[in-house]
Amino acid sequence: MDIRFEKVSYVYQPNTPFEQRALVDIDLAIEEGSYTALVGHTGSGKSTLLQHLNALLKPTDGQVTIGDRVITPTTDNKNLKPVRKKVGIVFQFPEAQLFEETVAKDIAFGPQNFGVKEEEALKLAAEMLNLVGLDESFLERSPFELSGGQMRRVAIAGVLAMQPEVLVLDEPTAGLDPAGRKEMMEIFWRLHKDRNMTIVLVTHLMDDVANFANYVYVLEKGQVVNSGTPQAVFQNVEWLKEKQLGVPAASAFAEKMQEKGARFDQLPLTETELADWIIREAGGTVHDE
Amino acid sequence: MMNKLIFGRYIPGDSLIHRLDPRAKLVASFYFIGIIFLANNWQSYLFLGLFTLFAIMLSKVDLSFFIRGVRPLIWLISFTVILQMLFTRGGTLYWSWGIFSLSEYGIQNGLFIFCRFILIIFMSTLLTLTTPPLSMSDAIESLLGPFRVVHVPVHEIALMLSIALRFVPTLMDETEKIMNAQRARGVDFGEGNLIQKVKAVVPLLIPLFVSSFNRAEDLATAMEARGYRGGEGRSKYRLLKWSGRDTAVIIAFAAVTVVLVFLRS
């Protein structure tokens, strides 16, 4: 399922002194099966944009096409449920959305809202819990006695249980420890690879973008200021520094090497690429796994 | 949804009214609400109306804000006014049907009540639009000060008030975020019959309560870590200063009272 933005603008509290333009003439496309990253400063409009992806917000101008549904400023608020089922959003700090007595019930809550029978939903809950790396013993526990990281997993399982076609992640690893972060990102990668899930990732971590995404949109002040493959976007290190966005660690390191005289055809984005380059330079051969 | 609420909001500005001591504004607003009930004929209401308009003009806040502030209450106002009109008898009778009637006094009473509502809302909106919430709680602390003698925990009340005020926007944001998260999970807020509507609130309320508890715990820890040991022996960072223009405001209100007593019949 594709998601397309055509000339989308969004204004908060229009016609009041608190009026605030959050999005300006956004054109963007999220192809089916892609792994798209959205990066930009705090306040660049990422979170506003993200709420357009499943019609939580409707554009004040332009239109958003989600699969076969077209959302325009005049779209009625009714009958948006099918859209929300297809596009699952994991908001920032999703552990704040837990409320049921048991983990199982909380995960089953989403599917049940979309008409899945209780029994089936609970079965889904068990399955999803495994998927996010927790075992069955958690099913009957209260979500409020879990650790922060475990709560996060339960919340994400709750979104996955709706079996969305598009998974939107708003800084899913914020506040997690390095191991948890890595594990989370790998879970999403597996969903993308094995189940061909379309993923939209909002993040400040350029390494995640370099490692996983196949397309990047750079937002600034509510506008798309750059887009392309991570390879293309991260080549222009100067520009990114100017925008205070940073580059992946491997690229930054390669840039330093460049200053000392190393010559790259293209700046490497990941450690693997950088290591490959070093081995080749040293005259060795790179063995692909 | 909540964005439309104007009532109770502060608009930064630098007018005479903005610069007044919050205590003067608070006392004056409450006093004004008291003296509105002195007015009992059209001359006195006209006078109060003009006075309110003058105060609004001094604040340099757009009049449209005040009108928008009335909007959420319009049903309550209409309901009261209509009841008053239909059930008051006296003077010339224009129309009547069973217990309902439309009389001269009824219409007059209805209009007066309407004016009262509008004036009270305008004045209190003026207070909140021009006073930052924190100054308001400072003012309340200062005004409640004398009650310390009778063991009213003034400092605690003021502290709770300023913390509550500080967290209103935070809680609003939180509410909006959780609402969105639950909507993304297929909850329809405000749809279906009454029972369904109430049920839909549960996934919103429980997380809000839980996060409030967590927030309270964190805040208490942070306060203790910064050496908070209660109100005794604390100095104040924000000092309220009573100046000549504050006294002038109080005098103006006293003058208004005199005129009002003179105008009322």
Side-chain angles (χ1 to χ4, degrees), chain A residues 1-6 30 49-59 63-72 80 82-87 165-166:
Chain A
M1 195 180 65
D2 295 346
I3 298 179
R4 266 167 220 293
F5 282 49
E6 280 163 63
I30 291 155
L49 196 155
L50 176 143
Q51 291 178 49
H52 282 82
L53 294 171
N54 73 349
L56 284 174
L57 293 178
K58 288 176 294 180
Q63 65 173 47
V64 181
T65 315
I66 306 170
D68 46 13
R69 272 298 288 271
V70 178
I71 311 288
T72 62
L80 289 175
V83 172
R84 305 222 168 111
K85 190 195 173 315
K86 283 183 191 157
V87 184
E165 292 172 30
V166 179

Side-chain angles (χ1 to χ4, degrees), chain A residues 65 147 160 186-187:
Chain A
T65 315
S147 76
L160 290 176
E186 268 158 18
I187 289 168

Side-chain angles (χ1 to χ4, degrees), chain A residues 28-42:
Chain A
L28 134 175
I30 291 155
E31 312 282 345
E32 179 164 339
S34 70
Y35 197 130
T36 308
L38 292 174
V39 299
H41 264 280
T42 325

